[in-house]
């Protein structure tokens, strides 16, 4: 598990997975693969929807 990771409610991480820095996992997502740095993932199974997670994470941590 990297730094500045946001795991939204209802998300599941199946098995031992590597989660990079500045990652956001959307609500209700099911993570079945490793997630690289600065990614935003969502869905079942979780898929990368953005590779600008650092910007999104900093906004999230600043405002919430």
């Amino acid at each position: 598990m990297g730094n500045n990771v946001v795991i939204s409610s209802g998300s599941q991480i199946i098995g031992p997975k590597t989660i990079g820095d500045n990652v956001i996992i959307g609500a209700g997502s099911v993570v079945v693969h490793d997630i690289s740095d600065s990614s935003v993932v969502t869905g079942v199974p979780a898929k990368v929807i953005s590779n600008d997670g650092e910007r999104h994470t900093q906004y999230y941590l600043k405002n919430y």
Side-chain angles (χ1 to χ4, degrees):
M1 183 76 62
N3 296 314
N4 298 326
V5 174
V6 176
I7 303 175
S8 300
S9 65
S11 298
Q12 299 177 26
I13 300 173
I14 308 298
K17 302 295 175 232
T18 301
I19 310 293
D21 294 335
N22 302 309
V23 168
I24 298 175
I25 301 173
S29 298
V30 177
V31 178
V32 295
H33 299 289
D34 294 342
I35 303 174
S36 60
D37 292 347
S38 299
S39 296
V40 178
V41 299
T42 189
V44 179
K47 295 180 182 175
V48 176
I49 61 168
S50 174
N51 288 320
D52 196 12
E54 183 172 0
R55 182 174 61 102
H56 296 299
T57 304
Q58 295 304 323
Y59 173 82
Y60 182 85
L61 294 174
K62 176 182 172 186
N63 292 298
Y64 297 98

